[in-house]
Amino acid sequence: MTFQFDVIKGRRSLATHREREHIMVAGSVRPLIDAFRIAHVELIECWWRLRFDKIEALQVVSQAGTARVANVVDPNYTVVAKFPKALLREAR
């Protein structure tokens, strides 16, 4: 598996990680609910950058997206939100 990270100046959240089967975004902060929210807002913005309406993106991500709590040991919690690329291809 290959990882690619982009540094975007002025962004407060982690960069989007793209892998073969999913678009993935991580949110890392305290409390846990904020990490969850950040990851999902960024995932919806990925859709928006692909020219989808934000309301449609919110609906699709909430129905087909998944989330995993990746870290609860460090001072910050980390949540990874992901969406299957196969469904994205079908939506376009």
Side-chain angles (χ1 to χ4, degrees):
M1 181 180 295
T2 302
F3 293 94
Q4 176 184 339
F5 298 94
D6 298 318
V7 175
I8 303 172
K9 291 184 180 184
R11 296 292 298 233
R12 291 185 295 160
S13 60
L14 296 176
T16 303
H17 163 66
R18 292 178 173 88
E19 52 110 334
R20 283 191 192 142
E21 297 176 13
H22 294 88
I23 294 174
M24 298 171 58
V25 181
S28 187
V29 71
R30 275 192 180 260
L32 182 60
I33 191 68
D34 286 348
F36 184 88
R37 179 187 50 79
I38 288 169
H40 284 81
V41 166
E42 291 295 319
L43 189 57
I44 290 166
E45 286 195 14
C46 287
W47 275 73
W48 178 71
R49 286 189 290 261
L50 293 170
R51 309 265 191 242
F52 286 92
D53 183 68
K54 281 195 176 185
I55 297 298
E56 292 173 341
L58 174 63
Q59 182 177 4
V60 172
V61 167
S62 67
Q63 292 177 1
T66 59
R68 177 168 287 184
V69 177
N71 175 39
V72 293
V73 178
D74 291 335
N76 288 332
Y77 296 122
T78 303
V79 173
V80 177
K82 62 185 188 175
F83 189 86
K85 286 184 177 180
L87 296 178
L88 180 60
R89 284 189 291 273
E90 291 175 16
R92 297 189 104 196

